[in-house]
Amino acid sequence: MSKCRRHFDIPTKLNIIIFQIYQIMKKLPVLLTAITVATSLTVSAKVVLPNYITDNMLVQRNSVMRIAGDATPGSEVNIKASWDAKAKKVKADKAGKFEADIHTPEAGGPYTIEISDKDSKVKVGNVLSGELWLCSGQSNMEFPVQGWTSVMDADHVVSTARNPDIRLFQVKKNTSFTPQNNLEANMGGWVEAAPNTMDFSAIAYLYARELRDSLQIPVGVIDATWGGTPAEAWTSVGYLKGVPGFEGELAAMERCGYDRTRLKANYEKELEDWMAMAKKDKSSVKPGVLSKGTTMRADYFERLGFGNEFDGIVWAQKEIDVPVELAGKPMRLSLSAIDDEDVTYLNGTEVARGSGFNVPREYTIDGKYVKAGKNIISIRISDFGGEGGFSGPADLMKAEIDGTVIPLGDGWVYTVGVNFADLPQKPVSVESSSYPSVLYNAMIHPLRNLPVKGVLWYQGCANVGRADQYEPLFKSLINNWRDTWNAELPFYFVQLAGWLKPQAVQPESEWAALRNAQSKALELPNTAMVSAIDLGDPGDIHPRDKQSIAHRLALTSLNRDYGLGTDYKAPVCTGSQIKGDKVILTFDAPVTATSSAMLGFIVGDKEGNFEQAVVKTVNPQTLELTASGISRPVCVRYDWADFPNGNVYGLNGIPLAPFATDK
């Protein structure tokens, strides 16, 4: 008994120790949590700056830059720029937010900027002061020196890009339904121009290089671009309210409290309703019966005469002959890529379906659907935006049965099932970079505290087909950005280059109408337009000659902003007079052609008929136009086509911009 008690007494002391450890262990999660919270508070208390304030940055000379960031709540924040002997002191608020304005110096550097509070310090080094331009728009401004198909003379541009006094900042693509205070950056922030940093807007870099060479001071450019995006995505909600056509999206954002989840649910319901309308095929096409019509090659609808802005549902049908010995055997269909979706039938039976504008369609069809003799391939193609139809090489399209190849590149009959132009506008996905305001909120508004000298803008392709809307929209965008920076902000833009099928007479061109809408922005002060009409490529929406565009932009700003007297202006038509069957045009400067005949002019009458003009030079600033078949002219248009044939320039080599006396 006593032995047992002694055995019990010794472990009891151990049990007490174990119990005490247990009590400590129970409290350990609380202690760990407290330590974690304290640590996180310490981390969050350090000085944090916007992502556009980094080593290698360039600040606009002789301006006031606002530095806004985070620091220890309630602490004194010291801002010391090495160009100023006196430090700036401000107090962070209860949330740790602080902001202070600092004056930037004359061009020069390198400098440092130090921002510190009681707990931490951030030092920004290798800072230059000079001229800073914001370059924005869609793919032709985004087009990098290297990384896509190369710009003209890319090897030389890259190999000579060792320019430490040219600074580059590329905004990372992002969207937001509300204005943001910060943004994300590619390449880790600001970088020096170098061969390994040429995945950057070619126009922006080439423009900066020319400015640097002419001004002999540092130059910085900001690349805030996103291919395929419309102007409304780059415009704030407030400035869209006066532009017709965006009432639905603006109301949805307000109704959903600018909440992404609620907006997405709203969009999915609207899209479901729209798709129900879009699928109501109004044609009489039967997949098993070949429709009547002219046979054409497999190609984009836009190249087949459907209209450059056609979106809708089109049946493409082709009849092929299958030898008797191949009947009942599997057929391999190679249809190239189809833009955007397809449902494919053989002899009236659905055999495959696919989606993806750049996805080649490779379908294997069960032999039970393959018969001897005539077989009808019917493809219901849905094109929801941009180009549509067969987007791959037609020569590679084929049907293959047991080693026998039947070419499919030619001989298609097309029938429109639904033209989406007859429907209400398709809802824009809230996940899209095309949704109103999302790019302004995420990629432009965060830069508002960083002074810029001016803006270079190249955009418009995504708004083709909406020229009437683009005129007030583009003006609103410019006023919006000037409200973001300053009312006198220079805003220089590129008029769209020629593209698609070359045509001499095309009075209904949507591309010409959009170019005309762009030109209306010249009614705003401190704007200028650079025409790229002569630089286009009928087969490529991205012309490779970015040097000429950058040069024309540089000539513009060197004259208007830096007083160097560069000759940047194109001749402008200042007068139009009808004299019988003739139209007399007067220009504010001499005009000349690149050949013996002046091309690009068309003359129209009140019935809407247009013919190519015969041009006679009265004097260097006066032209006389006549046109066969137009006896009573009322108007003249120049370079009014998707891809026009104009060849008229000023004596300075700047092309005459497209215009219309009736527009």
Side-chain angles (χ1 to χ4, degrees):
M1 185 73 172
S2 60
K3 186 175 180 180
C4 290
R5 281 201 300 270
R6 281 171 33 215
H7 180 73
F8 177 79
D9 289 342
I10 295 172
T12 296
K13 294 180 182 179
L14 180 61
N15 288 342
I16 292 172
I17 295 172
I18 293 173
F19 179 77
Q20 291 172 337
I21 294 173
Y22 170 73
Q23 293 292 350
I24 293 172
M25 291 295 291
K26 283 202 304 182
K27 297 178 181 179
L28 188 57
V30 177
L31 294 171
L32 290 174
T33 300
I35 293 170
T36 302
V37 170
T39 303
S40 65
L41 287 173
T42 301
V43 171
S44 65
K46 71 178 181 180
V47 172
V48 178
L49 300 175
N51 291 329
Y52 58 79
I53 300 179
T54 73
D55 291 344
N56 308 312
M57 76 178 298
L58 184 139
V59 298
Q60 174 60 38
R61 61 174 172 167
N62 301 322
S63 65
V64 178
M65 181 174 72
R66 176 162 294 175
I67 296 180
D70 294 280
T72 303
S75 66
E76 182 179 79
V77 180
N78 293 281
I79 302 170
K80 180 68 175 71
S82 63
W83 61 75
D84 191 342
K86 187 177 180 181
K88 187 89 172 184
K89 299 180 184 297
V90 294
K91 187 176 181 180
D93 64 18
K94 293 180 179 179
K97 304 293 182 183
F98 74 90
E99 60 180 41
D101 292 341
I102 63 171
H103 292 267
T104 61
E106 183 52 78
Y111 301 105
T112 60
I113 305 174
E114 293 185 0
I115 301 97
S116 61
D117 64 6
K118 66 184 184 66
D119 295 314
S120 63
K121 177 170 67 175
V122 173
K123 183 176 181 179
V124 181
N126 195 28
V127 177
L128 296 182
S129 181
E131 291 297 284
L132 178 58
W133 286 80
L134 171 60
C135 306
S136 188
Q138 56 182 111
S139 56
N140 269 301
M141 182 62 87
E142 180 183 356
F143 198 105
V145 174
Q146 63 180 10
W148 297 4
T149 54
S150 298
V151 299
M152 185 176 70
D153 202 17
D155 290 344
H156 177 72
V157 175
V158 172
S159 65
T160 58
R162 303 180 192 281
N163 296 299
D165 50 351
I166 295 177
R167 301 297 172 85
L168 314 175
F169 183 83
Q170 190 175 69
V171 179
K172 185 177 180 179
K173 294 179 175 67
N174 211 342
T175 64
S176 174
F177 293 107
T178 55
Q180 298 299 295
N181 290 324
N182 203 356
L183 47 67
E184 296 180 69
N186 294 326
M187 300 188 288
W190 286 90
V191 295
E192 297 180 352
N196 66 340
T197 60
M198 286 294 101
D199 187 9
F200 190 88
S201 165
I203 291 175
Y205 168 69
L206 293 166
Y207 171 85
R209 189 179 68 179
E210 187 158 351
L211 248 63
R212 188 278 317 270
D213 291 346
S214 298
L215 301 175
Q216 292 296 300
I217 62 172
V219 176
V221 277
I222 299 172
D223 173 356
T225 55
W226 197 325
T229 54
E232 59 266 26
W234 297 96
T235 310
S236 72
V237 166
Y239 276 86
L240 285 177
K241 288 183 177 178
V243 181
F246 303 110
E247 296 84 359
E249 289 94 339
L250 297 180
M253 283 190 278
E254 187 171 349
R255 184 172 63 251
C256 296
Y258 302 92
D259 178 76
R260 183 179 294 272
T261 301
R262 293 173 62 190
L263 277 165
K264 186 176 180 181
N266 180 77
Y267 160 73
E268 289 173 350
K269 176 61 172 64
E270 290 182 345
L271 181 63
E272 182 181 351
D273 295 341
W274 188 88
M275 290 297 293
M277 289 189 293
K279 291 179 179 179
K280 291 180 180 178
D281 194 327
K282 298 179 181 179
S283 73
S284 58
V285 174
K286 296 179 181 178
V289 179
L290 184 66
S291 299
K292 295 181 179 180
T294 303
T295 59
M296 292 185 282
R297 190 167 176 78
D299 207 336
Y300 282 119
F301 300 147
E302 288 77 4
R303 295 175 181 168
L304 296 172
F306 284 69
N308 293 331
E309 298 311 310
F310 176 84
D311 295 317
I313 295 175
V314 175
W315 287 93
Q317 295 180 288
K318 178 177 173 58
E319 187 177 78
I320 61 173
D321 283 315
V322 174
V324 174
E325 64 272 18
L326 298 180
K329 295 185 178 181
M331 176 188 293
R332 179 72 174 174
L333 279 183
S334 299
L335 297 175
S336 82
I338 297 178
D339 190 347
D340 293 291
E341 298 178 358
D342 71 284
V343 181
T344 298
Y345 301 79
L346 182 64
N347 299 321
T349 300
E350 181 183 332
V351 292
R353 58 176 60 205
S355 63
F357 73 93
N358 58 353
V359 179
R361 308 303 201 267
E362 298 283 345
Y363 300 140
T364 299
I365 302 172
D366 194 308
K368 66 182 180 181
Y369 301 118
V370 181
K371 64 181 184 180
K374 304 295 184 183
N375 285 253
I376 297 172
I377 301 172
S378 298
I379 307 175
R380 188 174 187 265
I381 302 174
S382 299
D383 169 28
F384 295 109
E387 296 173 309
F390 296 104
S391 60
D395 293 340
L396 299 182
M397 294 174 59
K398 62 185 178 180
E400 187 172 358
I401 309 172
D402 197 25
T404 298
V405 174
I406 303 172
L408 299 179
D410 288 296
W412 293 89
V413 176
Y414 296 91
T415 307
V416 176
V418 183
N419 187 339
F420 292 164
D422 300 331
L423 303 178
Q425 186 174 338
K426 183 186 177 186
V428 179
S429 170
V430 297
E431 303 292 344
S432 167
S433 57
S434 296
Y435 201 80
S437 298
V438 294
L439 302 187
Y440 172 83
N441 292 335
M443 299 175 66
I444 299 300
H445 185 265
L447 293 168
R448 67 196 182 282
N449 290 329
L450 184 65
V452 296
K453 180 66 175 183
V455 173
L456 306 181
W457 175 260
Y458 193 170
Q459 186 276 337
C461 300
N463 289 89
V464 170
R466 295 186 281 146
D468 289 344
Q469 182 190 60
Y470 194 82
E471 179 181 341
L473 171 60
F474 189 27
K475 290 178 179 177
S476 290
L477 182 150
I478 295 171
N479 288 328
N480 181 187
W481 289 27
R482 285 178 169 170
D483 186 43
T484 302
W485 276 280
N486 68 79
E488 303 301 320
L489 186 74
F491 199 105
Y492 306 145
F493 57 95
V494 182
Q495 192 181 42
L496 297 180
W499 185 51
L500 297 172
K501 181 181 178 181
Q503 297 187 66
V505 182
Q506 191 188 3
E508 302 306 317
S509 166
E510 295 284 6
W511 282 76
L514 198 284
R515 293 186 194 109
N516 192 61
Q518 289 179 302
S519 71
K520 300 299 183 182
L522 294 173
E523 297 169 3
L524 297 178
N526 214 12
T527 57
M529 182 179 76
V530 164
S531 179
I533 193 65
D534 59 329
L535 303 175
D537 181 338
D540 192 347
I541 200 171
H542 303 120
R544 297 175 61 236
D545 183 2
K546 303 305 184 190
Q547 284 88 338
S548 293
I549 295 173
H551 176 61
R552 292 170 187 176
L553 287 166
L555 289 176
T556 302
S557 57
L558 287 171
N559 181 295
R560 296 172 64 101
D561 302 294
Y562 304 109
L564 295 192
T566 49
D567 190 358
Y568 73 96
K569 290 185 177 181
V572 175
C573 181
T574 55
S576 174
Q577 186 179 7
I578 310 296
K579 289 186 176 182
D581 64 346
K582 300 178 177 63
V583 183
I584 310 299
L585 297 181
T586 306
F587 295 85
D588 65 354
V591 294
T592 185
T594 57
S595 67
S596 58
M598 277 196 177
L599 304 176
F601 292 97
I602 59 175
V603 176
D605 59 23
K606 65 179 182 180
E607 284 77 32
N609 302 306
F610 283 85
E611 296 292 342
Q612 193 167 2
V614 175
V615 183
K616 176 183 176 182
T617 301
V618 178
N619 61 57
Q621 294 181 224
T622 307
L623 304 179
E624 179 186 279
L625 280 63
T626 57
S628 176
I630 306 294
S631 59
R632 295 183 178 180
V634 297
C635 64
V636 171
R637 298 181 186 178
Y638 175 74
D639 265 1
W640 196 273
D642 300 343
F643 191 93
N645 65 343
N647 65 346
V648 182
Y649 290 77
L651 299 181
N652 57 1
I654 303 298
L656 181 64
F659 69 90
T661 61
D662 59 327
K663 297 290 185 178

